[in-house]
Amino acid sequence: MKRAVYILMLGLAVFMFSCKNKTVNSSNSKENEQVVDIQLKHAKEFKIEKHSDKTVIKIHKKGEEGVFDTFNLVKNKANTKGLANSIPVPCKRIVCLSSTQLGYFFALDDIDDIVAINSSRYLRHEGMKALVEAGKVKRIGKEGNFNLEMLAALDPDVIFVSPFKVGGFDVLRNLGIPLVPMAAYNEETPLGRAEWIKMLALFVGQEEKADSIFNGIESRYQNLKKIASNVEKRPTVFSGKMRSGSWYVPGGNSFYAHYFRDAGADYIIKDNKQGAYPVDFETIYSKASNCDFWRIIHPEKSGLSLKYLGDQDPRYMDFNAFQNKNVILCNIREKPYYEQAGMKPDVLLADYIHFFHPELLPEHKPYFYERLK
């Protein structure tokens, strides 16, 4: 009997020791887990960390240095239990609240996972338009006026929102649907914006395809930039027009300023500001009256001419660029700028080089811009 009790106690001790070791090993395994930071080439506003059981995305919060929105993407839904901001992937029910977000899915040729958009007013993509017209993709309204009943019925896996817009997002958050800020517009460089395709691709399992697409864009952009880097003369350029009594000027370190420099032009604003800011007409005229080129991106009536531009504000006719017929326009009523520009920085750069230095790309046909006649 004593022998039996001894054997039983010994077996119990071995079992408990074994269990203890398993727990320690599991803990040590977690502590020693290697986290791989995915190296991004140009984007600064998000980070990707690869863990053994999840992918962590960190997106800079607007105006808060060093502060991130963090999302955990997991392939096994069971792993989301107790994990904050967890999203099972691949997502099959996606809502996009901006046409700029759609552009990345268009580039990935992945529109079947989108179930709703905010509006189709300026939608150009034929495939997406067909889905909207067939009722397969719903229009849920704009910030502050969302169709919450429709959204709840759609039960999306994720909603991509713009961190630059306010109003209406709190009610979406109350639905319990993950809201992922798409902050590509915070990037300073065109290639930085394009690299956000790598972030979007994580949600739909298209990482390799995204890498391939971005590498092609980067290669073409860098080749074009190199072509324009050795020009002997850099024409001066300014941007914008009067809107509600002010002229909004892109800062000297803005996204647009990078385009102008990379295209071999001299942008007249020399400050270190990244965003656009308002100035009065006299201020812009004092800087830009003798500029070689005037660039405008704006919704205009079809067939806008120099004459009609001059009729909008007779002071425009005093600019040298106007008099020399060097006004280039991207009419966003006619061009798919917001849908495509984020993923076509190489095409935009080629457009600029075509106008600033026509001898460098004689065969290029402008895609986004036209010279006003």
Side-chain angles (χ1 to χ4, degrees):
M1 179 69 178
K2 288 183 179 179
R3 179 178 176 83
V5 171
Y6 173 77
I7 292 173
L8 178 63
M9 292 181 66
L10 180 62
L12 182 61
V14 170
F15 175 77
M16 291 179 68
F17 179 77
S18 174
C19 289
K20 183 178 180 182
N21 266 347
K22 285 181 180 178
T23 302
V24 169
N25 288 340
S26 174
S27 175
N28 284 343
S29 174
K30 198 70 175 176
E31 289 175 4
N32 296 329
E33 176 191 16
Q34 286 191 343
V35 178
V36 178
D37 290 324
I38 303 301
Q39 296 300 309
L40 301 171
K41 297 180 180 181
H42 302 275
K44 306 293 184 185
E45 297 300 314
F46 74 97
K47 298 179 180 179
I48 301 172
E49 294 176 358
K50 288 283 188 177
H51 298 244
S52 60
D53 59 345
K54 63 186 176 183
T55 298
V56 178
I57 298 174
K58 296 182 177 182
I59 301 173
H60 277 138
K61 282 191 174 181
K62 181 185 176 185
E64 299 183 49
E65 188 173 349
V67 181
F68 299 87
D69 283 314
T70 301
F71 300 91
N72 298 287
L73 309 188
V74 295
K75 292 185 178 179
N76 186 346
K77 193 171 183 178
N79 293 340
T80 63
K81 189 174 181 180
L83 188 63
N85 286 341
S86 59
I87 303 172
V89 293
C91 296
K92 293 299 182 182
R93 303 184 65 78
I94 296 170
V95 175
C96 292
L97 296 183
S98 168
S99 58
T100 56
Q101 298 159 7
L102 288 173
Y104 295 92
F105 291 103
F106 295 162
L108 289 168
D109 195 23
D110 188 341
I111 62 174
D112 291 332
D113 294 324
I114 297 171
V115 296
I117 59 177
N118 64 337
S119 171
S120 59
R121 183 180 179 188
Y122 292 123
L123 188 62
R124 303 286 180 185
H125 190 277
E126 292 300 325
M128 182 58 72
K129 284 173 68 175
L131 290 176
V132 172
E133 291 168 2
K136 295 180 180 179
V137 173
K138 305 298 184 182
R139 291 173 289 191
I140 59 163
K142 296 186 177 182
E143 294 77 10
N145 193 30
F146 293 118
N147 188 330
L148 299 181
E149 185 177 342
M150 181 183 289
L151 258 178
L154 287 170
D155 190 26
D157 301 319
V158 63
I159 301 176
F160 291 103
V161 301
S162 169
F164 312 108
K165 296 179 180 179
V166 294
F169 293 155
D170 286 340
V171 292
L172 295 185
R173 201 171 282 109
N174 291 338
L175 293 175
I177 304 166
L179 305 184
V180 177
M182 184 65 186
Y185 259 60
N186 252 3
E187 297 291 348
E188 292 183 9
T189 66
L191 289 177
R193 284 191 185 179
E195 198 165 18
W196 275 73
I197 193 174
K198 297 180 180 180
M199 194 277 281
L200 270 296
L202 293 169
F203 289 85
V204 291
Q206 298 264 31
E207 295 172 62
E208 289 186 9
K209 186 173 184 179
D211 286 343
S212 176
I213 291 171
F214 177 77
N215 289 339
I217 291 169
E218 181 191 36
S219 176
R220 292 188 295 273
Y221 189 98
Q222 298 290 28
N223 286 337
L224 288 165
K225 180 180 175 180
K226 185 176 180 180
I227 289 172
S229 64
N230 296 318
V231 294
E232 293 183 4
K233 181 183 183 300
R234 288 178 168 261
T236 51
V237 60
F238 69 107
S239 178
K241 60 181 291 195
M242 293 296 292
R243 294 173 57 189
S244 302
S246 295
W247 191 302
Y248 284 84
V249 175
N253 196 33
S254 67
F255 170 79
Y256 298 116
H258 282 275
Y259 262 127
F260 298 147
R261 284 194 289 269
D262 291 350
D266 179 16
Y267 182 43
I268 60 160
I269 304 299
K270 305 297 185 184
D271 58 36
N272 199 38
K273 295 180 180 180
Q274 184 177 341
Y277 54 92
V279 298
D280 57 30
F281 182 87
E282 289 71 23
T283 298
I284 191 67
Y285 185 77
S286 67
K287 294 178 178 292
S289 60
N290 293 318
C291 271
D292 299 308
F293 281 89
W294 179 5
R295 173 261 195 195
I296 302 172
I297 175 170
H298 199 262
E300 300 284 356
K301 73 171 189 176
S302 181
L304 180 71
S305 64
L306 281 170
K307 180 182 183 305
Y308 181 77
L309 181 65
D311 290 342
Q312 290 181 3
D313 191 324
R315 295 176 296 181
Y316 291 163
M317 293 186 284
D318 292 331
F319 289 104
N320 276 4
F322 184 101
Q323 296 172 10
N324 294 328
K325 299 182 176 61
N326 282 333
V327 181
I328 59 174
L329 167 74
C330 176
N331 187 349
I332 58 177
R333 288 189 189 276
E334 299 178 334
K335 305 291 184 178
Y337 181 85
Y338 290 116
E339 278 182 23
Q340 299 185 15
M343 287 306 300
K344 290 185 180 291
D346 51 328
V347 177
L348 268 167
L349 185 61
D351 277 8
Y352 286 129
I353 293 174
H354 169 83
F355 291 111
F356 298 153
H357 303 284
E359 74 283 359
L360 296 180
L361 298 177
E363 303 300 320
H364 177 73
K365 183 178 179 180
Y367 184 79
F368 289 104
Y369 283 91
E370 61 180 309
R371 189 192 301 265
L372 291 190
K373 299 178 181 178

